[in-house]
Amino acid sequence: MSENAKVDVSGYSFEKAVAELESIVARLERGDVALDDSIAIYERGEALKKHCEALLSAAESRIEKIRLDRAAKPQGTEPLDGQ
């Protein structure tokens, strides 16, 4: 595995992780990467994908919808999915 593939992505912002993931996809689609390097960057892409999914899941859990009373005045919040 290349040194680049070993770099921890846990501190990456969502935007940085997506940008690097897009770069990896473009390199793999071009097909000009050696097999060993392809495997290494694919593994890095998997790590980036999992990190993005975790960030999205955390963001979704923070989204709340506002509850309104009969007069349409805000009365508090509740989870977006109603749980």
Side-chain angles (χ1 to χ4, degrees):
M1 184 182 304
S2 72
E3 191 62 33
N4 190 37
K6 294 178 186 175
V7 176
D8 182 26
V9 298
S10 64
Y12 282 22
S13 69
F14 179 80
E15 293 77 11
K16 182 175 180 176
V18 167
E20 186 172 338
L21 188 54
E22 288 172 344
S23 172
I24 287 171
V25 169
R27 287 180 65 193
L28 290 172
E29 285 179 341
R30 280 194 312 266
D32 60 355
V33 181
L35 180 60
D36 288 341
D37 290 338
S38 292
I39 293 168
I41 63 175
Y42 180 85
E43 289 172 345
R44 179 153 178 87
E46 277 296 309
L48 288 162
K49 178 182 147 287
K50 288 178 183 176
H51 180 64
C52 287
E53 288 172 345
L55 290 174
L56 284 174
S57 178
E60 287 173 353
S61 69
R62 291 176 29 203
I63 295 174
E64 296 179 323
K65 66 179 181 181
I66 299 172
R67 287 183 291 140
L68 303 176
D69 64 10
R70 290 183 185 187
K73 293 184 181 178
Q75 293 297 305
T77 61
E78 61 187 54
L80 182 60
D81 59 7
Q83 293 179 350

